[in-house]
Amino acid sequence: QMGGQNLRKEHLYKVLVIGDLGVGKTSIIRRYVHQTFSSNYRATIGVDFALKVLNWDSETVRLQLWDIAGQERFGNMTRVYYREAMGAFIVFDVTRPTTFEAVIKWKEDLDSKVMLANGQRIATVLLANKCDQGRELSNNGIKMDQFCKDHGFVGWFETSAKDNLNISDAANFLVKHIMATENDILKSVVPDTISPQMDSSRQMSCSGCFK
Amino acid sequence: MEKENQRLEASRDELHIRKTKLDYQEVCTCSKEAQALWERKLTAPGRTTNPQDKEDIYRAVCQGVPKSRRGEVWLLLSHQHRLQHRLPQRQQAPDTPYYDLLKQLTAQQHAILVDLGRTFPTHQYFSAQLGAGQLSLYNLLKAYSLMDTEVGYCQGISFVAGVLLLHMREEQAFDLLKFLMYDLGIRRQYRPDMVSLQIQMYQLSRLLHDYHRELYNHLEEYEIGPSLYAAPWFLTLFASQFPLGFVSCIFDLVFVQGTEVIFKVALCLLSSHEREIVECDSFESIVDYLKTTLPTLTQTQMEQTITKVMEMDISKQLHAYEVEYHVLQDEMLDAGPPPDDSERLDKLEKTNVQLKKQNMDLLEKLQAARQKIQTLETSVENFLSRESKLKHMIRSLEQERATYQRTIERMRFSLPPDALTDVEMTQIKTGPNGKAKTSAKKP
């Protein structure tokens, strides 16, 4: 009866992966879930799915990753795709500045279409992908921190799906934030308790990118 | 001599490219007779100017299209379709020449370039970076994006264009792409608002609801709507996930029947895998089945699907569901913009519940109406058969009457003259009866 395995608490989190066309959303997911990389995946039409199971302390976390087509017009379909998401990655390509400019648009679209039960924005992490192809952002670290703060990201990471850089760190970071917000919601449901107001989205994070 | 050699080499290269392009397993291998039939059709004089019988063409397509002539067959089918359905002027594709378009620059350059390597990445003809296949694909997509400024480039089109390129030269492929997009109207689903695609998703969902209720309920339980799995089926005409032989057969049918074919294939695929899908008991396992397992069809499954698709007719339902979608949409707009977010959510949820209920009510009404139509149709048939029976009876009565009259004539003839006056006297007495008979005879 005490054999804890069966009693393991399970969490299921829906996580969106969004960003402009060709920034490497599918590659990041493949690297994270299947530990592989290829330079020519088939284009994502509509939405694709992947599942990553994590052992988290004594609990199990199932990350349901929604890989959403990057072309802008698919945004008209995303209301269905975004529903009940708990967290998100917004990805841009460090070698293409326009994909970074589009990040704000993606974030606004996300916040306008989905929110948590307590009305808060869902935890979102910014990924600067293809960092193996140059353009060090680390020098701009302070600027990036400020950018995240201004636009409501919980943090940012430089990633490379090709070199397997920082992807699982970013995922763990996001899971941590999702769990924190989940606890907040659970607390807020219990009446007669006062929970200290600590807005986790404002707690600036060291993104773990400063090497 | 040297020239001759060069020519030989060129034609060998061309053959090699053709072989690379057509490197896929045929699904419905066609018989010798079918091949001969296409041979006749493809060489018939006036095949691009004289309309052929539509049924005849459809029957020919059902007998299978030989892979080596497929490109020519598609071109023939497009000519035939255009002879019979001329688009109104403002719906026609602009007729800027292909080579003029190629000289211009497109605003969609980046999106197209990114997708080149992601369109049939494992097919030999397209896999080489900036090889012949990718270059042709680039030209085609660029030209299209410049010609159709409303659609421009939309992800999905590259697969449709790719399938065409495997079967014909670039300019021909451009012409057929225009045909599919404008004449058959698939360009609607790629428009930036994607409304048409959403309507199609709704239509597919309703078809499932009506014809495969158990499957529909199962998918609904895990909140898996068609927009989660069927978008690539529509946007690439199945080309992004399914074997090329199967996709080519679907294209054969699309060229004669239009976009309705996509719904039929979708419905057949889902219904033939109903048991396996219902056995999946989680969101992940269902979407994984639909996206990864289902497209790896066996040869027999593909053949059966194509045969089933040929026997289906769902045009009426598709039309009804499209109208229904617009009605639902209008009602939602009428509700007006709600004031604040949480209220908005509540309201949307309520509307959703209401709409679902309304949907079901409408469906029940529709089914009742269908049943009624069927009863009425049966009684019409009964009336018709009774009418024909009665007509038959009238005819035999008339014949009988004519025979009697002839007998009377004969009898009258053989009577002596004084007896004749007696007969005339009796005729006067029965006069009204006789008159009634003559008037009844008229209709």
Side-chain angles (χ1 to χ4, degrees):
Chain A
Q1 261 179 338
M2 293 299 284
Q5 285 299 339
N6 298 335
L7 298 171
R8 277 180 85 108
K9 201 174 162 197
E10 257 202 22
H11 302 268
L12 173 69
Y13 299 136
K14 171 172 170 179
V15 171
L16 308 172
V17 183
I18 54 181
D20 269 6
L21 177 135
V23 295
K25 299 177 289 295
T26 305
S27 296
I28 287 176
I29 292 174
R30 293 286 169 98
R31 168 60 80 188
Y32 183 49
V33 177
H34 305 289
Q35 286 88 39
T36 54
F37 177 80
S38 151
S39 51
N40 44 2
Y41 287 122
R42 216 171 45 199
T44 307
I45 316 279
V47 57
D48 278 334
F49 306 91
L51 182 72
K52 174 84 177 178
V53 183
L54 296 170
N55 291 320
W56 199 268
D57 299 331
S58 57
E59 300 171 354
T60 303
V61 170
R62 297 163 72 84
L63 283 188
Q64 196 183 81
L65 297 156
W66 288 51
D67 178 5
I68 293 166
Q71 207 179 13
E72 196 180 348
R73 64 190 74 182
F74 285 91
N76 293 303
M77 306 282 292
T78 48
R79 207 169 275 282
V80 199
Y81 300 158
Y82 287 5
R83 236 179 51 209
E84 284 165 30
M86 292 287 286
F89 288 114
I90 295 183
V91 188
F92 72 96
D93 173 352
V94 292
T95 66
R96 277 197 291 136
T98 51
T99 64
F100 178 68
E101 284 154 27
V103 162
I104 299 174
K105 185 206 73 192
W106 281 105
K107 183 71 166 71
E108 281 169 358
D109 185 54
L110 181 70
D111 289 338
S112 72
K113 286 175 181 165
V114 63
M115 65 177 94
L116 297 170
N118 59 5
Q120 281 194 22
R121 294 181 293 207
I122 65 169
T124 308
V125 170
L126 181 62
L127 301 183
N129 195 37
K130 305 195 187 177
C131 69
D132 54 284
Q133 292 183 33
R135 290 245 194 162
E136 289 278 321
L137 279 178
S138 322
N139 311 333
N140 278 330
I142 295 164
K143 264 193 198 158
M144 286 296 284
D145 285 347
Q146 189 59 44
F147 179 85
C148 286
K149 204 169 174 179
D150 293 345
H151 295 99
F153 288 91
V154 295
W156 66 280
F157 287 81
E158 271 184 303
T159 57
S160 163
K162 194 173 165 209
D163 294 350
N164 193 15
L165 204 72
N166 277 335
I167 292 172
S168 48
D169 293 345
N172 288 342
F173 181 79
L174 180 65
V175 170
K176 214 171 65 194
H177 276 272
I178 293 174
M179 287 183 129
T181 48
E182 195 181 38
N183 284 334
D184 281 354
I185 294 168
L186 288 178
K187 271 186 213 138
S188 69
V189 177
V190 183
D192 298 331
T193 47
I194 300 160
S195 38
Q197 287 303 306
M198 177 80 151
D199 189 347
S200 58
S201 69
R202 217 165 288 151
Q203 187 182 35
M204 261 326 294
S205 46
C206 158
S207 66
C209 271
F210 300 101
K211 288 163 275 182
Chain B
M1 190 68 179
E2 204 166 303
K3 255 188 185 166
E4 194 75 359
N5 268 337
Q6 270 176 352
R7 210 177 306 143
L8 262 173
E9 211 162 294
S11 76
R12 212 177 309 137
D13 281 354
E14 206 173 294
L15 260 174
H16 177 71
I17 291 181
R18 229 175 104 78
K19 226 178 117 190
T20 319
K21 281 184 175 187
L22 292 180
D23 184 22
Y24 63 80
Q25 200 185 350
E26 272 183 291
V27 167
C28 309
T29 39
C30 64
S31 60
K32 280 259 152 53
E33 297 90 81
Q35 283 186 36
L37 177 68
W38 283 117
E39 192 62 48
R40 279 200 302 282
K41 283 193 178 299
L42 290 172
T43 50
R47 60 192 178 277
T48 57
T49 47
N50 302 341
Q52 292 174 13
D53 180 38
K54 237 183 135 181
E55 283 298 308
D56 184 50
I57 291 180
Y58 183 61
R59 269 196 304 275
V61 169
C62 288
Q63 284 177 49
V65 175
K67 181 163 81 169
S68 58
R69 310 299 299 267
R70 191 159 252 141
E72 293 164 79
V73 170
W74 290 351
L75 285 163
L76 174 72
L77 293 174
S78 75
H79 288 309
Q80 283 296 321
H81 185 278
R82 278 177 176 154
L83 285 176
Q84 292 173 29
H85 312 266
R86 196 84 204 132
L87 276 183
Q89 192 68 40
R90 57 185 186 85
Q91 283 174 35
Q92 276 176 29
D95 52 6
T96 325
Y98 184 60
Y99 290 99
D100 287 355
L101 291 166
L102 286 186
K103 286 178 205 145
Q104 301 169 37
L105 288 173
T106 173
Q108 319 271 337
Q109 171 103 346
H110 180 74
I112 294 174
L113 282 175
V114 167
D115 275 354
L116 286 184
R118 310 198 294 176
T119 307
F120 299 115
T122 55
H123 192 286
Q124 223 192 333
Y125 182 60
F126 292 111
S127 58
Q129 202 177 356
L130 297 182
Q134 288 198 9
L135 284 179
S136 283
L137 189 58
Y138 173 73
N139 285 342
L140 196 54
L141 295 174
K142 172 182 148 181
Y144 188 84
S145 75
L146 286 162
M147 182 204 65
D148 184 353
T149 47
E150 191 193 4
V151 166
Y153 172 70
C154 175
Q155 292 195 292
I157 299 177
S158 65
F159 285 92
V160 178
V163 173
L164 296 177
L165 278 176
L166 292 178
H167 294 91
M168 62 199 74
R169 283 183 291 115
E170 219 179 281
E171 308 91 282
Q172 294 173 323
F174 183 65
D175 187 44
L176 278 197
L177 185 60
K178 281 206 296 201
F179 174 78
L180 287 170
M181 293 295 234
Y182 284 86
D183 295 74
L184 297 183
I186 69 167
R187 66 183 287 280
R188 280 192 292 270
Q189 64 175 351
Y190 301 108
R191 279 197 283 211
D193 61 15
M194 297 228 131
V195 167
S196 183
L197 181 66
Q198 291 181 59
I199 294 177
Q200 289 173 326
M201 298 295 111
Y202 178 76
Q203 288 170 306
L204 181 58
S205 164
R206 288 290 274 110
L207 282 169
L208 278 178
H209 178 274
D210 281 8
Y211 296 96
H212 305 283
R213 188 65 66 88
E214 198 194 335
L215 180 60
Y216 173 87
N217 288 338
H218 184 68
L219 292 172
E220 192 75 345
E221 191 188 329
Y222 293 96
E223 297 182 53
I224 300 170
S227 52
L228 299 198
Y229 59 87
W233 298 357
F234 282 84
L235 295 175
T236 71
L237 308 188
F238 297 93
S240 68
Q241 296 164 309
F242 290 83
L244 268 172
F246 181 64
V247 173
S248 304
C249 281
I250 296 173
F251 271 61
D252 295 343
L253 292 170
V254 168
F255 275 106
V256 274
Q257 290 195 328
T259 47
E260 204 184 302
V261 173
I262 310 171
F263 287 100
K264 294 190 206 170
V265 176
L267 210 56
C268 284
L269 286 174
L270 289 167
S271 77
S272 60
H273 292 83
E274 174 161 354
R275 200 170 47 81
E276 290 88 341
I277 299 169
V278 171
E279 272 169 14
C280 296
D281 58 357
S282 69
F283 176 89
E284 292 86 14
S285 59
I286 297 173
V287 290
D288 189 56
Y289 187 87
L290 289 170
K291 284 181 164 276
T292 321
T293 316
L294 190 144
T296 58
L297 298 164
T298 65
Q299 198 71 9
T300 333
Q301 282 174 320
M302 292 191 264
E303 275 166 21
Q304 282 168 348
T305 309
I306 297 293
T307 316
K308 227 161 107 189
V309 166
M310 287 171 185
E311 290 160 0
M312 270 172 109
D313 180 15
I314 49 169
S315 49
K316 262 188 237 144
Q317 289 88 327
L318 286 178
H319 181 72
Y321 301 154
E322 190 183 340
V323 173
E324 192 179 280
Y325 179 89
H326 288 298
V327 171
L328 292 175
Q329 216 62 10
D330 286 348
E331 275 176 22
M332 274 207 286
L333 287 179
D334 281 348
D340 101 82
D341 273 355
S342 63
E343 235 174 276
R344 204 176 106 211
L345 199 72
D346 273 351
K347 217 162 182 178
L348 281 175
E349 250 157 11
K350 265 185 212 146
T351 331
N352 197 14
V353 172
Q354 272 174 1
L355 286 178
K356 269 200 180 157
K357 199 176 157 287
Q358 202 174 30
N359 217 344
M360 291 303 134
D361 290 348
L362 280 172
L363 184 87
E364 266 159 36
K365 272 185 205 160
L366 187 72
Q367 249 150 9
R370 278 215 196 110
Q371 233 151 34
K372 205 165 167 187
I373 288 174
Q374 209 162 19
T375 349
L376 287 175
E377 267 169 353
T378 332
S379 58
V380 166
E381 258 169 57
N382 285 342
F383 282 131
L384 283 177
S385 79
R386 244 170 76 192
E387 196 197 356
S388 84
K389 259 186 219 152
L390 286 173
K391 270 191 187 150
H392 196 73
M393 215 154 105
I394 288 172
R395 222 173 305 131
S396 57
L397 283 173
E398 270 171 357
Q399 271 167 3
E400 214 176 317
R401 187 160 151 271
T403 334
Y404 283 137
Q405 257 168 355
R406 271 199 301 278
T407 324
I408 289 173
E409 281 306 314
R410 243 184 290 124
M411 281 163 75
R412 197 184 280 183
F413 203 67
S414 54
L415 277 177
D418 54 328
L420 204 64
T421 38
D422 272 4
V423 173
E424 257 153 29
M425 292 284 283
T426 38
Q427 254 189 346
I428 287 160
K429 264 182 209 162
T430 57
N433 267 344
K435 246 187 190 161
K437 256 185 192 165
T438 16
S439 67
K441 190 182 144 195
K442 261 181 192 162

